[in-house]
Amino acid sequence: MRLSDKFALILAAIVAAAVVASSAVFLNIEYSLLSRAEIRSREAMIESASGIIRESRLAKDPLILVDFLRLLGREHSEIGRCRIWMNGRWRNVQGVGTNLKREDAVVLEISSTGAPGATRDSLEAQIWLSQAAIETRMASARKALLKKMETVCVVLILLGLIISLPLGRGLSRRVKIIESAVARIGEGDAKAKIPNLGQDEIGRLSKNINAMAERLSEIDRLKKEFVASVTHELRSPLSAIESYINRMLAGQTLAEEDRQGLSRVLNNVNRLNHFVSNLLQMAKIERGKLDFIPKNVPLAPLIEDSALFFAPLAQKAGIRLDCKIERSIGEIRIDPDLISHVLANLISNALKFTRAGGSIVVCLEKRGQWAECSVQDTGIGLAEKDAKRIFAPFERIRNPLKATGVGLGLAISKSIIDMHRGEIGVASVLNQGSRFYFRLPMGK
Ligand SMILES: Nc1ncnc2c1ncn2[C@@H]1O[C@H](COP(=O)(O)OP(=O)(O)OP(=O)(O)O)[C@@H](O)[C@H]1O
Ligand SMILES: [Mg+2]
């Protein structure tokens, strides 16, 4: 789930929780107001009825009270019975209802003083309120309130959702900027910088990442310079050792045992030389210092010559090497030394990873606007996941042939083909063989 969606969800959940909590508090207050209103309406009833009792007593006319209670009974549906105390006994007020039982009623005692439970005098009244009617009325009032609150809640939550979506995006915007800059820094883009994102934690984080990126590119620069100077310094003594051993081996005076020992030393010196030149070349590429001198060159003979150079090696390894060259491919603008270097890398790999008895075909053909050169072998092949990695520096796959190497040949080749705005790739099947290819644009 994206960060912006997570933010939006959290915001929406907070809004929903806040709406539900405040609605619960509001409902609580409203419910207690309802109960208070009920008590106040009873008090008002008692007050007005006791006023009427006083009036009736003054006028010596109980009918005033009877009429009032009748009217009250009509106006208030919860009044189930009204009685007046007259001449020493209780009489029901006609027209108000008489069915209500005492145990189902809340009885309001009304005397001339208005105080409940006052001493019974000559004219008093009782108003019986039906408990069931009061409860029904309260319940329906609560229900109506709840319904209103529900509608308000739904509207507020929907509003919260609608607002939280853009808000969530806004919050994650700066994180996205940092994410893409960090990805670029991870890919080695030394110029990747995060713009000023404010003074808060995210702003400070971006400044720290910028400082870290600067430090990393400084370390990278120092590393490249170090590798370049060390490998450069190693080349001259290695060449001197190599030529000295070659001279000694060419002489006739050596005993067989010494000759064998020196040959082994020479093999190791050659490996070291290969390692150092690869490192030096990679260092040059990384620092943008590799000589790239493009010129118009006929591609077919260049590919053929480079391939034929490996014929003796292939023969020695018991591997068949064939060429299929489309000669109609004319001149093409390339750096011939670098392109032969790429082909040499591919063929030497094919020789390294193919068993005796296998075969290698070097092919040059036209493919639309591209001139495509490929090296197909019947060697150990590669698993799909490994084929994706091998163009990165120092990536090597464990192989059953125990072939040695540094893991730089393909990385160098890729850089060279990139310089030519071409493409390089591989199609391979494990244990069946590989087809490495590079394509060069044929236009000017
Ligand atoms: N033709 C091939 N068949 C099978 N695997 C190959 C083939 N070519 C390359 N690979 C795999 O790709 C890896 C990287 O190749 P790369 O040429 O970059 O390095 P290397 O040959 O091991 O060393 P270097 O070329 O620097 O001496 C190899 O180690 C090998 O695992
Ligand atoms: Mg190689």
Side-chain angles (χ1 to χ4, degrees):
M1 193 191 256
R2 287 183 310 180
L3 194 62
S4 56
D5 295 341
K6 279 187 192 163
F7 273 142
L9 260 183
I10 292 170
L11 280 176
I14 291 172
V15 169
V19 167
V20 170
S22 49
S23 307
V25 172
F26 182 74
L27 270 182
N28 221 324
I29 294 170
E30 283 296 308
Y31 284 172
S32 65
L33 282 180
L34 266 180
S35 322
R36 238 181 276 162
E38 180 63 31
I39 293 167
R40 240 182 277 129
S41 110
R42 281 181 211 171
E43 285 169 356
M45 242 181 234
I46 293 170
E47 207 177 307
S48 50
S50 57
I52 296 295
I53 289 178
R54 276 195 298 277
E55 244 177 65
S56 299
R57 284 175 66 190
L58 272 178
K60 295 197 170 62
D61 182 3
L63 272 180
I64 296 176
L65 179 61
V66 171
D67 284 346
F68 171 75
L69 290 176
R70 257 190 215 132
L71 190 71
L72 207 64
R74 273 203 294 277
E75 276 175 3
H76 293 266
S77 57
E78 74 272 25
I79 296 179
R81 180 180 250 187
C82 285
R83 297 200 304 179
I84 54 174
W85 177 263
M86 231 166 55
N87 304 331
R89 68 185 186 96
W90 285 109
R91 290 158 200 269
N92 281 327
V93 175
Q94 296 303 311
V96 180
T98 48
N99 292 334
L100 189 61
K101 289 192 189 125
R102 174 109 205 174
E103 59 268 27
D104 300 330
V106 176
V107 178
L108 305 182
E109 302 276 1
I110 299 150
S111 64
S112 55
T113 59
T119 358
R120 190 159 294 166
D121 48 21
S122 56
L123 190 61
E124 283 184 28
Q126 274 184 346
I127 299 173
W128 292 24
L129 302 175
S130 155
Q131 242 166 11
I134 293 171
E135 266 157 32
T136 317
R137 200 184 55 196
M138 293 282 279
S140 74
R142 280 195 202 116
K143 210 170 153 190
L145 204 63
L146 199 68
K147 207 157 186 198
K148 254 189 224 161
M149 281 311 297
E150 266 173 19
T151 322
V152 171
C153 276
V154 169
V155 170
L156 283 180
I157 289 172
L158 278 179
L159 263 177
L161 260 177
I162 292 167
I163 293 168
S164 51
L165 272 175
L167 221 62
R169 292 225 174 97
L171 277 174
S172 67
R173 186 186 61 88
R174 294 189 300 162
V175 179
K176 265 195 197 150
I177 294 174
I178 295 178
E179 184 205 6
S180 73
V182 169
R184 275 167 52 212
I185 292 169
E187 281 161 11
D189 180 355
K191 288 191 191 116
K193 279 257 152 26
I194 306 170
N196 189 357
L197 294 179
Q199 301 302 322
D200 58 6
E201 285 85 346
I202 293 190
R204 287 202 294 279
L205 172 71
S206 61
K207 277 185 197 138
N208 288 340
I209 291 176
N210 279 345
M212 188 184 75
E214 262 169 39
R215 185 86 192 102
L216 278 178
S217 78
E218 177 64 12
I219 292 171
D220 198 43
R221 192 183 61 77
L222 288 175
K223 182 206 84 186
K224 283 172 188 162
E225 269 174 18
F226 174 77
V227 171
S229 62
V230 167
T231 45
H232 192 264
E233 289 307 313
L234 278 172
R235 256 159 73 111
S236 320
L238 276 175
S239 309
I241 295 170
E242 189 186 355
S243 65
Y244 189 70
I245 296 174
N246 274 329
R247 244 195 12 241
M248 285 176 79
L249 283 173
Q252 304 294 320
T253 52
L254 282 177
E256 189 49 35
E257 203 179 317
D258 294 338
R259 187 175 292 280
Q260 278 177 9
L262 271 181
S263 298
R264 274 202 294 277
V265 174
L266 186 62
N267 270 343
N268 284 313
V269 169
N270 282 339
R271 273 178 60 190
L272 206 56
N273 236 334
H274 173 74
F275 172 67
V276 167
S277 358
N278 267 354
L279 267 186
L280 190 60
Q281 200 162 21
M282 198 66 217
K284 276 186 184 169
I285 289 171
E286 284 182 335
R287 297 165 75 208
K289 296 216 164 148
L290 185 74
D291 289 335
F292 176 48
I293 308 162
K295 45 188 160 202
N296 288 337
V297 180
L299 190 61
L302 179 94
I303 299 293
E304 196 167 24
D305 289 353
S306 307
L308 289 179
F309 176 81
F310 284 90
L313 269 179
Q315 201 180 18
K316 203 173 152 196
I319 296 167
R320 195 186 149 139
L321 176 66
D322 290 319
C323 280
K324 285 186 190 161
I325 306 287
E326 201 173 307
R327 290 186 190 282
S328 62
I329 296 177
E331 286 197 342
I332 179 166
R333 197 163 175 75
I334 50 166
D335 182 320
D337 292 340
L338 294 182
I339 292 299
S340 341
H341 189 74
V342 171
L343 186 58
N345 272 338
L346 298 188
I347 300 176
S348 70
N349 277 350
L351 283 170
K352 213 158 53 164
F353 298 108
T354 303
R355 293 184 174 89
S359 68
I360 297 171
V361 181
V362 177
C363 192
L364 176 67
E365 59 196 320
K366 248 191 217 168
R367 283 208 185 233
Q369 289 306 300
W370 302 99
E372 183 179 283
C373 177
S374 60
V375 178
Q376 180 146 19
D377 64 49
T378 55
I380 58 172
L382 287 158
E384 205 181 322
K385 66 173 174 27
D386 295 333
K388 287 182 190 141
R389 296 173 20 204
I390 51 175
F391 291 93
F394 303 108
E395 285 289 353
R396 302 193 70 242
I397 316 299
R398 195 186 286 266
N399 64 81
L401 302 182
K402 306 233 169 0
T404 55
V406 191
L408 281 176
L410 288 179
I412 291 170
S413 303
K414 182 171 175 357
S415 303
I416 293 174
I417 297 299
D418 286 348
M419 280 178 191
H420 286 82
R421 296 179 195 283
E423 290 175 0
I424 187 164
V426 61
S428 188
V429 179
L430 193 62
N431 298 325
Q432 287 189 27
S434 314
R435 180 178 179 274
F436 281 82
Y437 65 86
F438 62 87
R439 294 178 185 142
L440 297 165
M442 285 202 294
K444 297 274 172 203

